[in-house]
Amino acid sequence: MTERERQRQGRFRTGIGAGAALGADPGSGTGPATATAPAPGPAPRPRTGPLPEPRPLGEVRSWPRSFADRLTAPLPAGVAGLARLAREGVSRPPAGALTEISELPVAQGPLPDAGPGTVAVTWAGHASWVVRIGGLTVLTDPVWSRRILGTPSRITPVGVPWADLPPVDAVVISHNHYDHLDGPTLRRLPRDTHLFVPAGLGAWCRRRRFTRVTELDWWEAVELPAGDGGTVRFDFVPAHHWSKRTLTDTCRSLWGGWVLTDPAGRRVYFAGDTGYGHWFAEIGARLPGIDLALLPIGAYDPSDMLRDVHTDPEEAVQACLDAGARRMAPMHWATFLLSAEPPLEPLTRVRAAWRRTGRPREQLWDLPVGGSRLLPED
């Protein structure tokens, strides 16, 4: 067991966050440990409080040359790390585990009806969701391509055929990595689609002739008119990650997640790509009453290289508890083989971690690719 793994276990055993201790078995160094006590569900939290005024739509702004000062851990891998991955062959699951691909849950179906008062989510795969909120259709990190640069082809079909999408009102982007910012998919959109992107990424979008591009820093927000009055608010929130798209643009743009709030105050938190850390509790404190957290559970093995930027299933459940979210929907698995864990392992582990919290099973929305759920009206 590495020193970093021992530190990770210690963090969960000491109970940092709102929930019970969840971590690896200290005897074996692998697998989940039994929680010391059931984690409490999120306490009711007021939906009022001071929030920053929304920024103007389409505002053109100047940014620092680098956002490296926002990193919460050293950059992953580097040249030596990538060489190690190639040398040891640990960047993909073992060949014997690939038989699990046929067992991955896929259930393509029609999008649910969603009027202005409905909040519905449909998982298209990886970090791509179709979010229906306030009468708007919002895509998160849309990747409809069969493959992305440097990665084998997707192992499950896109959950929603592009032709079946309603008109897209807005797209939110978490960061610029190729499996989250996909140029071929964005080219399918009308150029007047609203793109909400991290600071430093606006120029990339405008070069592709998008005319409604809004860049935000952490803890900033914009609003769009909702279908039947009021507004849908988009808050850009921190994440434990990084950015890089070429050899020369490391951390030149920001990274983060998004909290979408409808006119009735219902909130959906899209975490993007992130490791585990202190930001989840801060997000829950500043934007309380999150009804659904879309959290990544895959691409975590080998953990000593990836844990700072990708939550594993147990950490994702802990992040849900830290943020005070009422429900969790896993993502960032079952689509691209980005790391070495067996394809089905994230689902098995997240279900076990959730069970140990004592939270109701129906609050874990472990959707198949293509699956949809509607938030109940509280």
Side-chain angles (χ1 to χ4, degrees), residues 43-51 259 261 265-267 281-291 323-326:
R45 304 170 97 171
R47 295 175 184 269
T48 59
L51 290 174
V259 177
T261 307
R266 289 175 294 181
R267 284 184 168 146
E282 180 71 11
I283 291 165
R286 293 200 190 200
L287 296 161
I290 293 170
D291 294 281
R326 292 178 171 84

mmCIF file of all heavy atoms in Angstrom, residues 43-51 259 261 265-267 281-291 323-326:
data_model
loop_
_atom_site.group_PDB
_atom_site.id
_atom_site.type_symbol
_atom_site.label_atom_id
_atom_site.label_comp_id
_atom_site.label_asym_id
_atom_site.label_seq_id
_atom_site.Cartn_x
_atom_site.Cartn_y
_atom_site.Cartn_z
ATOM 1 N N ALA A 43 -29.785 16.976 6.085
ATOM 2 C CA ALA A 43 -30.767 17.732 6.851
ATOM 3 C C ALA A 43 -31.421 18.765 5.947
ATOM 4 O O ALA A 43 -30.800 19.258 5.012
ATOM 5 C CB ALA A 43 -30.073 18.435 8.024
ATOM 6 N N PRO A 44 -32.683 19.069 6.191
ATOM 7 C CA PRO A 44 -33.315 20.118 5.389
ATOM 8 C C PRO A 44 -32.530 21.420 5.492
ATOM 9 O O PRO A 44 -32.116 21.828 6.569
ATOM 10 C CB PRO A 44 -34.709 20.249 6.032
ATOM 11 C CG PRO A 44 -34.939 18.943 6.718
ATOM 12 C CD PRO A 44 -33.595 18.486 7.183
ATOM 13 N N ARG A 45 -32.300 22.063 4.365
ATOM 14 C CA ARG A 45 -31.507 23.275 4.357
ATOM 15 C C ARG A 45 -32.284 24.364 3.642
ATOM 16 O O ARG A 45 -32.974 24.102 2.650
ATOM 17 C CB ARG A 45 -30.169 23.052 3.646
ATOM 18 C CG ARG A 45 -29.376 21.904 4.254
ATOM 19 C CD ARG A 45 -28.190 21.555 3.404
ATOM 20 N NE ARG A 45 -26.992 22.193 3.914
ATOM 21 C CZ ARG A 45 -25.779 21.921 3.465
ATOM 22 N NH1 ARG A 45 -25.615 21.058 2.512
ATOM 23 N NH2 ARG A 45 -24.730 22.539 3.968
ATOM 24 N N PRO A 46 -32.222 25.565 4.132
ATOM 25 C CA PRO A 46 -32.970 26.644 3.476
ATOM 26 C C PRO A 46 -32.428 26.916 2.086
ATOM 27 O O PRO A 46 -31.254 26.736 1.816
ATOM 28 C CB PRO A 46 -32.739 27.842 4.403
ATOM 29 C CG PRO A 46 -31.465 27.531 5.110
ATOM 30 C CD PRO A 46 -31.438 26.032 5.280
ATOM 31 N N ARG A 47 -33.316 27.330 1.202
ATOM 32 C CA ARG A 47 -32.912 27.641 -0.160
ATOM 33 C C ARG A 47 -32.698 29.140 -0.339
ATOM 34 O O ARG A 47 -32.635 29.628 -1.453
ATOM 35 C CB ARG A 47 -33.969 27.140 -1.149
ATOM 36 C CG ARG A 47 -34.105 25.628 -1.158
ATOM 37 C CD ARG A 47 -35.245 25.208 -2.061
ATOM 38 N NE ARG A 47 -35.461 23.781 -2.009
ATOM 39 C CZ ARG A 47 -34.886 22.907 -2.829
ATOM 40 N NH1 ARG A 47 -34.050 23.320 -3.740
ATOM 41 N NH2 ARG A 47 -35.145 21.623 -2.729
ATOM 42 N N THR A 48 -32.640 29.861 0.752
ATOM 43 C CA THR A 48 -32.432 31.302 0.673
ATOM 44 C C THR A 48 -31.021 31.635 1.115
ATOM 45 O O THR A 48 -30.324 30.814 1.699
ATOM 46 C CB THR A 48 -33.441 32.036 1.565
ATOM 47 O OG1 THR A 48 -33.287 31.587 2.913
ATOM 48 C CG2 THR A 48 -34.860 31.754 1.098
ATOM 49 N N GLY A 49 -30.617 32.845 0.866
ATOM 50 C CA GLY A 49 -29.285 33.281 1.259
ATOM 51 C C GLY A 49 -28.683 34.119 0.152
ATOM 52 O O GLY A 49 -29.142 34.083 -0.996
ATOM 53 N N PRO A 50 -27.642 34.852 0.461
ATOM 54 C CA PRO A 50 -27.049 35.736 -0.548
ATOM 55 C C PRO A 50 -26.344 34.934 -1.633
ATOM 56 O O PRO A 50 -25.524 34.061 -1.362
ATOM 57 C CB PRO A 50 -26.060 36.574 0.266
ATOM 58 C CG PRO A 50 -25.727 35.725 1.453
ATOM 59 C CD PRO A 50 -26.976 34.959 1.769
ATOM 60 N N LEU A 51 -26.697 35.196 -2.874
ATOM 61 C CA LEU A 51 -26.024 34.615 -4.023
ATOM 62 C C LEU A 51 -25.506 35.749 -4.888
ATOM 63 O O LEU A 51 -26.102 36.825 -4.937
ATOM 64 C CB LEU A 51 -26.984 33.743 -4.837
ATOM 65 C CG LEU A 51 -27.434 32.423 -4.198
ATOM 66 C CD1 LEU A 51 -28.489 31.760 -5.066
ATOM 67 C CD2 LEU A 51 -26.245 31.485 -4.002
ATOM 68 N N VAL A 259 -24.172 23.996 -10.962
ATOM 69 C CA VAL A 259 -25.409 23.790 -10.214
ATOM 70 C C VAL A 259 -26.517 24.532 -10.947
ATOM 71 O O VAL A 259 -26.436 25.759 -11.128
ATOM 72 C CB VAL A 259 -25.300 24.278 -8.761
ATOM 73 C CG1 VAL A 259 -26.642 24.111 -8.048
ATOM 74 C CG2 VAL A 259 -24.210 23.504 -8.017
ATOM 75 N N THR A 261 -30.466 25.615 -11.115
ATOM 76 C CA THR A 261 -31.588 25.847 -10.207
ATOM 77 C C THR A 261 -32.789 26.332 -11.005
ATOM 78 O O THR A 261 -32.682 27.297 -11.773
ATOM 79 C CB THR A 261 -31.225 26.893 -9.138
ATOM 80 O OG1 THR A 261 -30.011 26.498 -8.476
ATOM 81 C CG2 THR A 261 -32.340 27.024 -8.107
ATOM 82 N N GLY A 265 -36.756 26.481 -7.250
ATOM 83 C CA GLY A 265 -35.674 26.265 -6.301
ATOM 84 C C GLY A 265 -35.083 24.879 -6.327
ATOM 85 O O GLY A 265 -34.179 24.574 -5.540
ATOM 86 N N ARG A 266 -35.551 23.991 -7.227
ATOM 87 C CA ARG A 266 -34.968 22.646 -7.309
ATOM 88 C C ARG A 266 -33.596 22.722 -7.962
ATOM 89 O O ARG A 266 -33.408 23.437 -8.951
ATOM 90 C CB ARG A 266 -35.897 21.714 -8.078
ATOM 91 C CG ARG A 266 -37.161 21.374 -7.304
ATOM 92 C CD ARG A 266 -38.125 20.555 -8.117
ATOM 93 N NE ARG A 266 -38.652 21.325 -9.235
ATOM 94 C CZ ARG A 266 -39.539 20.850 -10.094
ATOM 95 N NH1 ARG A 266 -39.958 19.596 -9.998
ATOM 96 N NH2 ARG A 266 -39.987 21.614 -11.073
ATOM 97 N N ARG A 267 -32.660 21.954 -7.419
ATOM 98 C CA ARG A 267 -31.263 22.078 -7.834
ATOM 99 C C ARG A 267 -30.686 20.741 -8.295
ATOM 100 O O ARG A 267 -30.859 19.705 -7.640
ATOM 101 C CB ARG A 267 -30.410 22.616 -6.680
ATOM 102 C CG ARG A 267 -30.594 24.110 -6.473
ATOM 103 C CD ARG A 267 -29.697 24.671 -5.416
ATOM 104 N NE ARG A 267 -29.722 26.133 -5.483
ATOM 105 C CZ ARG A 267 -29.620 26.930 -4.452
ATOM 106 N NH1 ARG A 267 -29.463 26.422 -3.237
ATOM 107 N NH2 ARG A 267 -29.658 28.236 -4.603
ATOM 108 N N ALA A 281 -18.298 20.011 0.346
ATOM 109 C CA ALA A 281 -18.987 20.600 1.492
ATOM 110 C C ALA A 281 -19.210 22.092 1.286
ATOM 111 O O ALA A 281 -20.254 22.640 1.667
ATOM 112 C CB ALA A 281 -18.187 20.351 2.773
ATOM 113 N N GLU A 282 -18.243 22.756 0.654
ATOM 114 C CA GLU A 282 -18.390 24.190 0.399
ATOM 115 C C GLU A 282 -19.511 24.458 -0.605
ATOM 116 O O GLU A 282 -20.291 25.401 -0.454
ATOM 117 C CB GLU A 282 -17.063 24.754 -0.115
ATOM 118 C CG GLU A 282 -17.079 26.239 -0.419
ATOM 119 C CD GLU A 282 -17.151 27.113 0.823
ATOM 120 O OE1 GLU A 282 -16.989 26.581 1.947
ATOM 121 O OE2 GLU A 282 -17.389 28.328 0.674
ATOM 122 N N ILE A 283 -19.617 23.616 -1.623
ATOM 123 C CA ILE A 283 -20.697 23.766 -2.594
ATOM 124 C C ILE A 283 -22.053 23.583 -1.912
ATOM 125 O O ILE A 283 -22.995 24.363 -2.130
ATOM 126 C CB ILE A 283 -20.515 22.757 -3.748
ATOM 127 C CG1 ILE A 283 -19.288 23.136 -4.589
ATOM 128 C CG2 ILE A 283 -21.768 22.686 -4.624
ATOM 129 C CD1 ILE A 283 -18.814 22.032 -5.512
ATOM 130 N N GLY A 284 -22.159 22.571 -1.059
ATOM 131 C CA GLY A 284 -23.403 22.365 -0.352
ATOM 132 C C GLY A 284 -23.750 23.479 0.607
ATOM 133 O O GLY A 284 -24.929 23.776 0.836
ATOM 134 N N ALA A 285 -22.733 24.123 1.183
ATOM 135 C CA ALA A 285 -22.986 25.225 2.110
ATOM 136 C C ALA A 285 -23.431 26.483 1.370
ATOM 137 O O ALA A 285 -24.319 27.201 1.826
ATOM 138 C CB ALA A 285 -21.724 25.506 2.930
ATOM 139 N N ARG A 286 -22.819 26.750 0.225
ATOM 140 C CA ARG A 286 -23.169 27.967 -0.513
ATOM 141 C C ARG A 286 -24.453 27.812 -1.320
ATOM 142 O O ARG A 286 -25.163 28.797 -1.552
ATOM 143 C CB ARG A 286 -22.024 28.348 -1.455
ATOM 144 C CG ARG A 286 -20.747 28.779 -0.758
ATOM 145 C CD ARG A 286 -19.905 29.582 -1.724
ATOM 146 N NE ARG A 286 -18.566 29.845 -1.222
ATOM 147 C CZ ARG A 286 -17.791 30.820 -1.675
ATOM 148 N NH1 ARG A 286 -18.240 31.619 -2.641
ATOM 149 N NH2 ARG A 286 -16.575 30.993 -1.205
ATOM 150 N N LEU A 287 -24.716 26.592 -1.782
ATOM 151 C CA LEU A 287 -25.892 26.323 -2.611
ATOM 152 C C LEU A 287 -26.665 25.166 -1.981
ATOM 153 O O LEU A 287 -26.676 24.048 -2.504
ATOM 154 C CB LEU A 287 -25.467 25.999 -4.042
ATOM 155 C CG LEU A 287 -24.777 27.145 -4.792
ATOM 156 C CD1 LEU A 287 -23.995 26.631 -5.983
ATOM 157 C CD2 LEU A 287 -25.801 28.183 -5.232
ATOM 158 N N PRO A 288 -27.298 25.402 -0.862
ATOM 159 C CA PRO A 288 -27.931 24.309 -0.117
ATOM 160 C C PRO A 288 -29.188 23.786 -0.812
ATOM 161 O O PRO A 288 -29.755 24.431 -1.690
ATOM 162 C CB PRO A 288 -28.278 24.968 1.220
ATOM 163 C CG PRO A 288 -28.454 26.418 0.894
ATOM 164 C CD PRO A 288 -27.449 26.707 -0.185
ATOM 165 N N GLY A 289 -29.586 22.604 -0.387
ATOM 166 C CA GLY A 289 -30.809 22.020 -0.914
ATOM 167 C C GLY A 289 -30.645 21.384 -2.275
ATOM 168 O O GLY A 289 -31.567 21.413 -3.100
ATOM 169 N N ILE A 290 -29.480 20.770 -2.553
ATOM 170 C CA ILE A 290 -29.276 20.091 -3.836
ATOM 171 C C ILE A 290 -30.170 18.851 -3.874
ATOM 172 O O ILE A 290 -30.110 17.992 -2.995
ATOM 173 C CB ILE A 290 -27.799 19.714 -4.026
ATOM 174 C CG1 ILE A 290 -26.950 20.984 -4.164
ATOM 175 C CG2 ILE A 290 -27.611 18.815 -5.242
ATOM 176 C CD1 ILE A 290 -25.451 20.736 -4.126
ATOM 177 N N ASP A 291 -31.004 18.774 -4.901
ATOM 178 C CA ASP A 291 -31.939 17.654 -5.021
ATOM 179 C C ASP A 291 -31.307 16.437 -5.680
ATOM 180 O O ASP A 291 -31.686 15.305 -5.379
ATOM 181 C CB ASP A 291 -33.168 18.093 -5.821
ATOM 182 C CG ASP A 291 -33.972 19.144 -5.082
ATOM 183 O OD1 ASP A 291 -34.728 18.778 -4.172
ATOM 184 O OD2 ASP A 291 -33.815 20.343 -5.397
ATOM 185 N N ALA A 323 -22.006 17.266 0.159
ATOM 186 C CA ALA A 323 -22.750 18.334 -0.495
ATOM 187 C C ALA A 323 -24.184 18.442 0.013
ATOM 188 O O ALA A 323 -24.888 19.394 -0.326
ATOM 189 C CB ALA A 323 -22.749 18.123 -2.006
ATOM 190 N N GLY A 324 -24.607 17.469 0.818
ATOM 191 C CA GLY A 324 -25.966 17.495 1.328
ATOM 192 C C GLY A 324 -27.014 17.201 0.276
ATOM 193 O O GLY A 324 -28.172 17.621 0.406
ATOM 194 N N ALA A 325 -26.637 16.472 -0.770
ATOM 195 C CA ALA A 325 -27.572 16.190 -1.856
ATOM 196 C C ALA A 325 -28.562 15.105 -1.441
ATOM 197 O O ALA A 325 -28.207 14.146 -0.750
ATOM 198 C CB ALA A 325 -26.817 15.751 -3.104
ATOM 199 N N ARG A 326 -29.785 15.241 -1.877
ATOM 200 C CA ARG A 326 -30.834 14.281 -1.536
ATOM 201 C C ARG A 326 -30.728 12.992 -2.338
ATOM 202 O O ARG A 326 -31.151 11.928 -1.880
ATOM 203 C CB ARG A 326 -32.213 14.917 -1.761
ATOM 204 C CG ARG A 326 -32.530 16.055 -0.792
ATOM 205 C CD ARG A 326 -33.889 16.680 -1.094
ATOM 206 N NE ARG A 326 -34.270 17.613 -0.041
ATOM 207 C CZ ARG A 326 -33.882 18.874 0.012
ATOM 208 N NH1 ARG A 326 -33.086 19.349 -0.931
ATOM 209 N NH2 ARG A 326 -34.260 19.667 1.000
#
